[in-house]
Amino acid sequence: MIPPPGKIVIAGGTGLVGRALTETLRDQGHRVLLLTRRPAPGRLAPGVALHPWEDIQGAMMGAAAVFNLCGEPIASRRWSPAQRLRILESRTLSTRRIVEALGQVQGPRVLVNASAIGFYGTRDRRPVDEGSPLGQGFLPSVCRAWEAEADAAPSPIRVVKLRLGPVLSMEGGALPRLARIVRWGLGSRLGSGEQGMSWIHIEDLVRILVEAALDPAMEGVYNAVAPAPLSNEAFTQILGRVLHRPIIPVPGWVTAPLLRLALGPLAEEMILGGAFVRPARLLARGFEFRFPELEGALENLLR
């Protein structure tokens, strides 16, 4: 266990997940150091400081744990060749730099490295877990390279690789946009609606991240998703029910071509494809999700 006040380093700490994690760690009494390439985004809370990437070794000196949440947003723009390279290198090169620094300083005992359930690619309705093989496509190749960089961390540093599903939060991510569309009465399933959606409430994700850092028994790959994945159509219907709005029964032969035209390959892997991912290793260790079912998670966030 890391007794407070411990020094915790977060790379990628200004994103949706990083902000929530920083707040929780600070509330627990830890000192949080955010690696950054930009000036301060605003006034920082007490117990939180910025540190330049150029001095990454100085940041890690004496730290108890390092979180790596870096990565270009996957769905922010079409996947041109240049954008594919940014998505890949924003993950692999930052992880490589962190791992190199870990080998040159004394202090950090654990690296908690983000990955994604994109590792599994598009699957049928059969559930997948941490023992399932690598999928096919761009996202699986990115996740494989990303995790390989983390695996290069020197012994005896403990490495935990968390494969994140889409994060449900009203502070960012896809949920606020989806909720607006449904509130406007424009909600519809996407494509066939049969593709798997494996999600996680931001509060449960932060708890998993903290536990990964604090518990020496956690090591290797864990799926950071809720235990109740469901289809895109079921997700949309539940969202409509929580918001008391109807869902338009638009057929897949209408929505799928439009998405492919607008987004290209991104639509195929990110929206029209999916997988039913289970957090088998978290369940085996007895992790208790506060929001295991989608309806309860959406009620908490939207009402």
Side-chain angles (χ1 to χ4, degrees), residues 171-233:
E171 301 300 319
L175 182 59
R177 287 173 287 176
L178 291 173
R180 281 197 297 272
I181 291 171
V182 171
R183 283 191 172 111
W184 291 338
L186 301 175
S188 167
R189 71 181 187 186
L190 300 174
S192 70
E194 296 179 358
Q195 65 270 36
M197 291 191 67
S198 304
W199 54 275
I200 184 141
H201 190 293
I202 183 69
E203 185 177 325
D204 278 332
L205 176 56
V206 169
R207 291 174 56 236
I208 293 167
L209 285 160
V210 172
E211 189 165 319
L214 301 185
D215 190 343
M218 284 188 73
E219 191 165 6
V221 171
Y222 290 82
N223 290 332
V225 292
L230 69 177
S231 69
N232 170 267
E233 182 171 24

Side-chain angles (χ1 to χ4, degrees), residues 65-135:
V66 177
F67 291 90
N68 178 22
L69 306 174
C70 290
E72 171 81 8
I74 292 288
S76 61
R77 60 187 72 182
R78 289 177 67 99
W79 286 352
S80 65
Q83 180 64 6
R84 286 174 182 258
L85 186 61
R86 278 192 291 269
I87 289 171
L88 175 64
E89 291 189 343
S90 65
R91 288 158 172 77
T92 56
L93 297 186
S94 60
T95 305
R96 185 178 306 168
R97 191 169 180 189
I98 288 169
V99 165
E100 289 172 350
L102 287 170
Q104 298 169 355
V105 300
Q106 296 292 323
R109 300 187 291 271
V110 57
L111 168 64
V112 181
N113 204 83
S115 182
I117 61 171
F119 179 95
Y120 304 108
T122 297
R123 303 294 181 109
D124 57 23
R125 296 188 67 91
R126 287 173 290 186
V128 297
D129 60 25
E130 291 88 350
S132 299
L134 180 73

Side-chain angles (χ1 to χ4, degrees), residues 201 203-204 207 287-293 296-297:
H201 190 293
E203 185 177 325
D204 278 332
R207 291 174 56 236
F287 182 85
E288 294 186 6
F289 289 84
R290 291 179 183 166
F291 302 97
E293 302 287 340

Side-chain angles (χ1 to χ4, degrees), residues 183 240-244 295 297-303:
R183 283 191 172 111
R241 186 161 68 242
V242 170
L243 292 175
H244 303 291
E295 188 153 357
L298 294 178
E299 290 274 4
N300 172 263
L301 292 166
L302 296 170
R303 289 190 176 178

